[in-house]
């Protein structure tokens, strides 16, 4: 099985490559333009006979043979995807087009790493797949949200028009080892700030909520989705329904790191969703999947990872 993973040096992509490369019958082709992906994420894979890295930006077409395509390429942290918003939009739209064309030519299945951001600042809670979302098309998050929405549209149009095998997973906030300590997202920020004894930067009043899924749980869901019958196209929500305020998260991080860092309140970014929690009824039904790792345990493993990076 030749498996293409775009964004394969990123947080989710590299963890997926490691999982897939364990099976010697798989040959993994990892594409990444290294915009936010990091070579150190795939260092342990580089010598393996069933792993190949190609530095490539999926905004540009590419011709190669693959049986399965996991399309995980796109900066995913708000500060990262807002740095070059036009390129972010191109990554989702042109990148998706290029991967769908590749899938069509190869008769391959393509699994799109979509996002809970398609729901925007959700007016329905928790969010089922049937909810159509509330996104400001002109706001600073739109380059990511609308790009991912358009990528979903492309998947279903290719499926209807050409019979392309598509699978769309809507991924909620995910964390764990491999996450760039400087990526600006809440868990990487809070843990690294706590470990360095620096102030914990809480945006807004900290009462906004998120639901955090440990990376191994998420990838189990992703792989089950790829293995599911062709009619399971999605969209399917994948995330952990445990919901926490950012203040609760900060407390848990302080407790688990034993840090004496103080909270520092910063302005809430524009269009920051107020609450987010996946309805995973469909994933349970179709994939017999639900997350297993509680936040405390996942945080402990993530703290260990960041401690290792700091040499502490
Ligand atoms: N956040 C925070 N402090 C930080 C980084 C993020 O309070 O240092 C908040 C942010 O405003 C948001 C939540 O944590 O409400 C999750 O942010 P993240 O960037 O991790 O993901 P997303 O907003 O894309 O869900």
């Amino acid at each position: 099985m030749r498996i293409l993973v775009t964004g394969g040096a990123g947080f989710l992509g590299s963890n997926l490559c490691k999982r897939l490369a364990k099976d010697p019958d798989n040959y993994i082709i990892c594409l990444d333009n290294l915009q936010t992906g990091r070579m150190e994420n795939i260092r342990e894979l580089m010598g393996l006979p069933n792993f190949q890295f190609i530095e490539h930006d999926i905004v540009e077409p590419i011709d190669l043979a693959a049986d399965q395509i996991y399309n995980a390429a796109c900066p995913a942290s708000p500060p990262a995807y807002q740095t070059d918003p036009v390129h972010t939009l191109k990554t989702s739209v042109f990148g998706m087009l290029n991967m769908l064309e590749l899938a069509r030519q190869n008769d391959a299945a393509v699994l799109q790493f979509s996002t809970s951001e398609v729901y925007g600042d959700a007016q329905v809670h928790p969010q089922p797949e049937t909810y159509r979302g509330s996104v400001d098309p002109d706001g600073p998050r739109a380059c990511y949200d609308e790009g991912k929405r358009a990528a979903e549209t492309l998947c279903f149009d290719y499926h209807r028009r050409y019979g392309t095998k598509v699978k769309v997973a809507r991924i909620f906030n995910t964390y764990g080892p491999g996450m760039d300590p400087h990526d600006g997202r809440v868990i990487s920020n809070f843990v690294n700030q706590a470990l360095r004894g620096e102030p914990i930067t809480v945006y807004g009043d900290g009462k906004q909520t998120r639901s955090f899924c440990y990376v191994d749980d998420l990838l189990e869901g992703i792989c089950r989705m790829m293995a599911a019958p062709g009619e399971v196209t999605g969209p399917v929500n994948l995330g952990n329904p445990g919901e926490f305020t950012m203040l609760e998260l900060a407390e848990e991080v302080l407790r688990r790191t034993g840090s004496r860092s103080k909270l520092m309140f910063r302005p809430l970014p524009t269009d920051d969703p107020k609450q987010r929690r996946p309805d995973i009824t469909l994933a349970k039904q179709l994939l017999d999947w639900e997350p297993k790792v509680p936040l405390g345990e996942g945080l402990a493993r993530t703290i260990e990872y960041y401690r290792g990076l700091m040499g502490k």
Side-chain angles (χ1 to χ4, degrees):
M1 180 88 80
R2 287 175 64 87
I3 306 177
L4 175 62
V5 179
T6 76
F11 165 46
L12 296 182
S14 62
N15 277 292
L16 177 63
C17 286
K18 284 174 196 164
R19 182 183 165 120
L20 296 171
K22 282 190 188 131
D23 183 344
D25 290 337
N26 289 337
Y27 184 82
I28 319 299
I29 307 151
C30 164
L31 295 192
D32 207 298
N33 69 348
L34 301 178
Q35 185 189 343
T36 55
R38 296 177 300 148
M39 287 307 287
E40 70 183 75
N41 279 340
I42 53 169
R43 189 151 295 139
E44 70 189 66
L45 296 170
M46 288 301 277
L48 296 182
N50 65 338
F51 180 81
Q52 180 189 6
F53 171 70
I54 303 174
E55 187 171 341
H56 177 81
D57 187 334
I58 58 159
V59 165
E60 305 301 330
I62 187 163
D63 189 16
L64 42 80
D67 304 302
Q68 292 184 337
I69 302 169
Y70 291 90
N71 188 32
C74 193
S77 157
Y81 68 64
Q82 290 171 23
T83 301
D84 187 350
V86 176
H87 191 264
T88 298
L89 202 53
K90 281 185 181 170
T91 304
S92 282
V93 178
F94 297 174
M96 188 80 251
L97 258 177
N98 287 331
M99 291 309 116
L100 284 163
E101 273 304 313
L102 206 57
R104 191 155 82 101
Q105 283 155 24
N106 282 275
D107 194 26
V110 57
L111 189 152
Q112 167 63 356
F113 282 51
S114 191
T115 169
S116 56
E117 283 282 326
V118 299
Y119 302 125
D121 190 8
Q123 308 297 303
V124 168
H125 193 74
Q127 294 83 52
E129 291 83 353
T130 47
Y131 176 53
R132 292 182 182 181
S134 171
V135 174
D136 174 2
D138 304 328
R141 294 177 90 97
C143 59
Y144 185 72
D145 301 5
E146 297 290 11
K148 290 284 189 177
R149 287 170 67 97
E152 286 199 11
T153 307
L154 282 167
C155 283
F156 290 104
D157 280 334
Y158 263 71
H159 180 66
R160 282 186 291 257
R161 183 80 173 77
Y162 306 114
T164 311
K165 294 175 229 163
V166 301
K167 300 191 169 277
V168 174
R170 288 186 178 156
I171 300 170
F172 285 64
N173 298 61
T174 304
Y175 70 101
M179 215 178 182
D180 185 345
H182 307 293
D183 88 342
R185 273 181 289 187
V186 70
I187 289 193
S188 43
N189 276 3
F190 282 9
V191 171
N192 284 286
Q193 289 160 347
L195 290 177
R196 287 195 297 260
E198 292 170 0
I200 306 285
T201 54
V202 177
Y203 299 165
D205 60 9
K207 292 191 179 131
Q208 71 273 33
T209 68
R210 292 292 186 275
S211 301
F212 299 102
C213 188
Y214 188 66
V215 61
D216 292 358
D217 279 339
L218 188 269
L219 293 178
E220 176 65 30
I222 291 283
C223 290
R224 284 186 189 212
M225 180 120 186
M226 186 60 110
E231 64 268 21
V232 181
T233 57
V236 174
N237 287 340
L238 294 179
N240 191 321
E243 185 181 2
F244 300 87
T245 66
M246 295 312 102
L247 287 175
E248 288 167 337
L249 177 69
E251 269 167 35
E252 186 69 12
V253 168
L254 288 174
R255 209 168 59 75
R256 297 226 160 231
T257 51
S259 167
R260 290 210 228 136
S261 289
K262 300 275 175 277
L263 302 188
M264 178 168 76
F265 289 86
R266 314 283 318 196
L268 189 69
T270 309
D271 291 343
D272 198 277
K274 282 179 275 309
Q275 49 181 9
R276 180 181 292 158
R277 169 155 59 102
D279 178 334
I280 60 164
T281 311
L282 202 57
K284 282 184 187 162
Q285 263 171 21
L286 295 176
L287 310 174
D288 189 25
W289 175 87
E290 65 182 314
K292 301 261 185 301
V293 182
L295 182 66
E297 195 182 320
L299 271 181
R301 294 186 207 169
T302 309
I303 291 165
E304 273 318 295
Y305 168 71
Y306 286 132
R307 276 212 171 102
L309 289 188
M310 285 178 183
K312 278 194 182 180

